[in-house]
Amino acid sequence: MLFRSFDFTEEGFSSFVGSYKAGELKPHLNSEDVPEDWDDEEVKTIVGANFEEVVLDETKNVLLMAHAPWCGHCKSLMPVWTELAESFEDNDDVIIAKMDATANEVEAFSVQSFPTLKFFPAGGDMVDYDGGRDLDSLTAFINTQIGEEAEAEEDDEEPAHDEL
């Protein structure tokens, strides 16, 4: 139950406390409206209202940047983020996304600094990303998380030959 209005009466307080004790209260989280073109670009635009549907989709691997429009570090990372998204555009199981964390909130995590990078593996638990902010580091991280690196190494290995 979400309390959008509160009746300042004994009955209102009693109802609120009862809902709190029952664990039925949910926080009010800010969200922008879902843009019509949220998935038109390589970097997908996430807002609070489409977060669960897109980021928590158990069939997708999502790397999300929670950013602030005024943040210099975020602005510096955006070209790399776009290049990263372009490098994974042929992989339907990987989504590179951004969310303006000054206008959107989610229950999954809170943002303490900008940019905050989180990886949501298909069917798994959220992973904090704290590695390098360059294309190679980000690509290697995703490939490791989705198991691509291990498969590539196996393909590179030559088959063993029995000597006569």
Side-chain angles (χ1 to χ4, degrees):
M1 170 182 274
L2 181 62
F3 278 84
R4 294 216 179 257
S5 62
F6 185 84
D7 188 12
F8 285 92
T9 63
E10 183 177 339
E11 185 178 305
F13 279 101
S14 179
S15 175
F16 178 82
V17 171
S19 295
Y20 175 78
K21 285 182 176 182
E24 297 170 347
L25 294 181
K26 292 189 181 246
H28 172 72
L29 300 173
N30 292 326
S31 177
E32 296 175 298
D33 291 334
V34 178
E36 287 184 28
D37 62 347
W38 73 268
D39 64 345
D40 287 353
E41 301 294 324
E42 286 83 7
V43 176
K44 307 307 178 198
T45 301
I46 303 300
V47 297
N50 70 347
F51 177 84
E52 285 188 27
E53 175 187 346
V54 178
V55 177
L56 300 183
D57 179 344
E58 293 198 2
T59 66
K60 304 292 184 194
N61 296 289
V62 181
L63 185 59
L64 176 70
M65 174 181 19
H67 69 93
W70 45 260
C71 169
H73 295 293
C74 302
K75 290 177 184 178
S76 296
L77 182 57
M78 201 57 72
V80 174
W81 208 250
T82 301
E83 194 173 348
L84 179 66
E86 290 169 354
S87 71
F88 282 96
E89 69 184 338
D90 293 333
N91 187 333
D92 293 335
D93 296 330
V94 176
I95 295 174
I96 308 302
K98 64 180 181 177
M99 178 179 78
D100 178 351
T102 65
N104 298 280
E105 300 171 300
V106 295
E107 284 189 63
F109 66 94
S110 62
V111 176
Q112 304 302 317
S113 62
F114 298 109
T116 295
L117 307 180
K118 304 283 186 179
F119 183 74
F120 297 83
D125 295 328
M126 178 183 71
V127 177
D128 293 329
Y129 178 80
D130 59 3
R133 303 288 171 96
D134 58 279
L135 182 61
D136 290 340
S137 298
L138 291 161
T139 301
F141 172 79
I142 292 172
N143 285 335
T144 298
Q145 293 296 316
I146 65 175
E148 291 291 325
E149 197 169 89
E151 289 176 20
E153 288 175 12
E154 288 174 12
D155 292 342
D156 291 343
E157 290 179 15
E158 292 184 28
H161 296 284
D162 289 333
E163 295 296 323
L164 296 176

